[in-house]
């Protein structure tokens, strides 16, 4: 399966967004998905283009994508408006 890394990354980032929504106790699922996927894209960009550590056929970039999603969700928790 040539795109198994991509499929696993999509599933992991989606689960992270759902967990963040459950932990927040608010119904902001679209916002959490947008933040998680934007963070994942940033993590992939960092490891592939900025640091040039891997190519798309390795299993390191999905870890960076998950890390970027977690970082984005944490920053979203810190800086979102709380009413």
């Amino acid at each position: 399966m040539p795109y198994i890394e991509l499929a696993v990354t999509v599933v992991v980032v989606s689960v992270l967004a759902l967990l963040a929504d459950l932990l927040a106790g608010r119904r902001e699922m679209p916002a959490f998905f947008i933040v998680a996927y934007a963070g994942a894209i940033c993590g992939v960009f960092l490891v592939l283009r900025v640091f040039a550590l891997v190519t798309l056929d390795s299993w390191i970039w999905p870890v960076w994508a998950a890390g970027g999603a977690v970082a984005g969700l944490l920053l979203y928790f810190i800086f979102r408006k709380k009413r």
Side-chain angles (χ1 to χ4, degrees), residues 43-58 60-61 64:
V44 170
F45 180 78
L46 280 174
V47 75
L48 289 177
R49 296 293 178 189
V50 175
F51 300 131
L53 295 176
V54 297
T55 59
L56 281 176
D57 59 350
S58 73
I60 296 174
W61 71 266
W64 278 72

Side-chain angles (χ1 to χ4, degrees), residues 6-67:
L6 182 62
V8 168
T9 304
V10 168
V11 170
V12 167
V13 172
S14 297
V15 168
L16 287 172
L18 287 172
L19 286 174
D21 185 51
L22 289 174
L23 288 175
R26 303 173 79 177
R27 297 293 169 207
E28 298 178 353
M29 244 193 299
F32 284 112
F33 275 103
I34 290 170
V35 169
Y37 280 108
I41 290 169
C42 291
V44 170
F45 180 78
L46 280 174
V47 75
L48 289 177
R49 296 293 178 189
V50 175
F51 300 131
L53 295 176
V54 297
T55 59
L56 281 176
D57 59 350
S58 73
W59 279 94
I60 296 174
W61 71 266
V63 175
W64 278 72

